Amino acid sequence: MSKLREKSEFNIDAAQILIDKYLYAPSVHCSYYSCFQLMKFTMNAYFGVTYDELRQKVSVSTSGGTHTFVIHFFNTEVRKNFGLTDYTEFSRKIKDLKEFRESSDYDDVEITIDKSTRALQYAKDLRHYIQKNFNK
């Protein structure tokens, strides 16, 4: 198994363990990264974008860093291959999950069980969608 895919699996498991231990803020971080790592892995395994190619594309991109590039890539592929309804759902969930993670990591706010369980559910939904639709 790819090390990146393995990390993705570790992070989704860690998110649940952290919630079970009432550690809500770090669980959101793990939920998000489980999706981000799976998307990067899928870009490589399904779409054939090597990690070096991804680094190069990000370095010349004017739209932001790796996270922005990968999310935009997936939003585009979902819309192109599965239509507006799937795109709307996918893009909203990944956007919200990223915002939850940024708030959890950087803002002076309390992260409640509600926010952490919503982040985990979004991560599970997104992971399922990616695995179902972009799996060889």
Side-chain angles (χ1 to χ4, degrees):
M1 176 185 287
S2 156
K3 293 298 179 190
L4 194 57
R5 178 149 190 177
E6 185 177 48
K7 291 176 191 178
S8 172
E9 298 295 327
F10 290 159
N11 270 314
I12 198 67
D13 293 343
Q16 184 64 62
I17 291 166
L18 290 165
I19 289 171
D20 293 345
K21 295 190 176 288
Y22 312 106
L23 299 168
Y24 304 127
S27 77
V28 173
H29 180 93
C30 291
S31 291
Y32 171 78
Y33 273 96
S34 74
C35 290
F36 177 71
Q37 290 161 334
L38 182 61
M39 288 189 290
K40 275 186 73 175
F41 164 78
T42 303
M43 284 180 75
N44 177 260
Y46 184 85
F47 293 100
V49 178
T50 69
Y51 298 120
D52 284 339
E53 288 172 336
L54 176 59
R55 271 191 290 283
Q56 268 185 339
K57 290 176 190 253
V58 169
S59 73
V60 297
S61 172
T62 58
S63 64
T66 305
H67 293 252
T68 301
F69 188 91
V70 170
I71 290 168
H72 177 73
F73 179 92
F74 267 86
N75 284 338
T76 301
E77 289 299 324
V78 169
R79 184 163 189 172
K80 180 171 67 175
N81 292 296
F82 303 103
L84 185 59
T85 302
D86 280 19
Y87 161 77
T88 301
E89 179 85 5
F90 188 92
S91 66
R92 181 186 56 81
K93 284 185 178 178
I94 194 64
K95 177 183 174 287
D96 287 352
L97 185 57
K98 185 178 183 218
E99 287 174 359
F100 292 168
R101 196 271 307 172
E102 289 170 345
S103 177
S104 177
D105 284 352
Y106 305 126
D107 295 341
D108 186 23
V109 296
E110 179 181 9
I111 303 300
T112 64
I113 188 171
D114 293 335
K115 177 96 36 150
S116 64
T117 55
R118 188 168 351 136
L120 180 60
Q121 188 57 56
Y122 282 7
K124 287 179 178 179
D125 293 347
L126 291 163
R127 291 171 53 79
H128 175 75
Y129 187 90
I130 292 165
Q131 290 167 334
K132 181 179 100 181
N133 292 297
F134 301 107
N135 199 358
K136 286 189 174 185

